[in-house]
Amino acid sequence: MKKLTKGDQTKEHLYRCALALFRDKGYDGVTVDAIVQRAHVAKGTFYIYFKSKSDIITELLKSYDSYYLALENQLQPSMGVEEKFDAIITGSCRFTQEEIGRECIQVVYKALLKGNDRLDALDLERALYGIFRALVVEGIAQGHYAKATDPDHFTRLLLRCIRGTYFEWCIQTKGFDLTEETLGLTRAFRKAYWVQPGPKED
């Protein structure tokens, strides 16, 4: 693992302090002054690493990509396609709830609704898209999904299911289990494409 430089550590510290404040006070209720005060650094230091407060959210999306790639590396070859999908989705929900928080996800959605290209969560080059697409291709090769299945179309629809459930979580206040709801919807979606159990392994 690459060793973090002092600058990397400072940037990560500012990022963590900003997210904590966003969760406590809401994005609009937090200023750069509040972030640097919590981080115990000079205001000029903040602008070495971030051009503005919104850059924290851009960094948040990058952290998702890193997390997804780490999750992918933890998948075992013995796991089935559906099990791998569930592991990635469950991990995403855990990361979202425990590390990111509802308030920060609400900020991402607001930014996307405003058309902020720098926060393009729909980018086809993002890590999760590539991971899911590879799993669809694996499922087709194993005979679980029909050969005519379009991996890109499947992946886009699956991600739409996840984003829709996350949006619902953002506007709910009580009784909405993000992991349970996301797994339920994505399993139902995948089941619609499931054609046979696939070849048995020796």
Side-chain angles (χ1 to χ4, degrees), residues 70-89:
L71 274 180
E72 183 183 32
N73 288 333
Q74 294 172 16
L75 297 177
Q76 300 300 315
S78 60
M79 297 170 67
V81 170
E82 290 293 287
E83 191 178 1
K84 290 178 181 177
F85 269 124
D86 279 354
I88 295 291
I89 292 167

Side-chain angles (χ1 to χ4, degrees), residues 135-151:
L135 288 178
V136 177
V137 171
E138 181 180 338
I140 294 171
Q142 293 178 356
H144 298 309
Y145 306 127
K147 290 183 179 180
T149 299
D150 180 344

Side-chain angles (χ1 to χ4, degrees), residues 14 49 75 82 113 117-118 123-124 143 145 162 166 172:
L14 283 164
Y49 303 102
L75 297 177
E82 290 293 287
L113 287 170
D117 327 352
R118 297 175 62 214
D123 188 350
L124 301 187
Y145 306 127
I162 294 173
Y166 275 37
Q172 294 282 358

Side-chain angles (χ1 to χ4, degrees), residues 39-133:
H40 301 292
V41 300
K43 192 171 184 178
T45 302
F46 178 90
Y47 289 109
I48 291 174
Y49 303 102
F50 303 102
K51 292 181 180 179
S52 66
K53 185 176 69 168
S54 65
D55 274 5
I56 298 291
I57 304 303
T58 303
E59 196 67 23
L60 180 155
L61 295 179
K62 291 179 182 177
S63 75
Y64 262 111
D65 286 342
S66 298
Y67 180 74
Y68 288 137
L69 292 172
L71 274 180
E72 183 183 32
N73 288 333
Q74 294 172 16
L75 297 177
Q76 300 300 315
S78 60
M79 297 170 67
V81 170
E82 290 293 287
E83 191 178 1
K84 290 178 181 177
F85 269 124
D86 279 354
I88 295 291
I89 292 167
T90 299
S92 175
C93 292
R94 186 209 64 78
F95 185 73
T96 299
Q97 289 180 290
E98 298 177 11
E99 299 292 330
I100 305 301
R102 190 193 310 261
E103 173 62 33
C104 292
I105 297 302
Q106 290 172 337
V107 171
V108 171
Y109 278 108
K110 288 176 183 177
L112 291 171
L113 287 170
K114 290 178 182 177
N116 189 335
D117 327 352
R118 297 175 62 214
L119 302 180
D120 188 6
L122 310 181
D123 188 350
L124 301 187
E125 299 301 318
R126 295 287 304 280
L128 188 59
Y129 188 96
I131 293 168
F132 278 175
R133 189 185 187 284

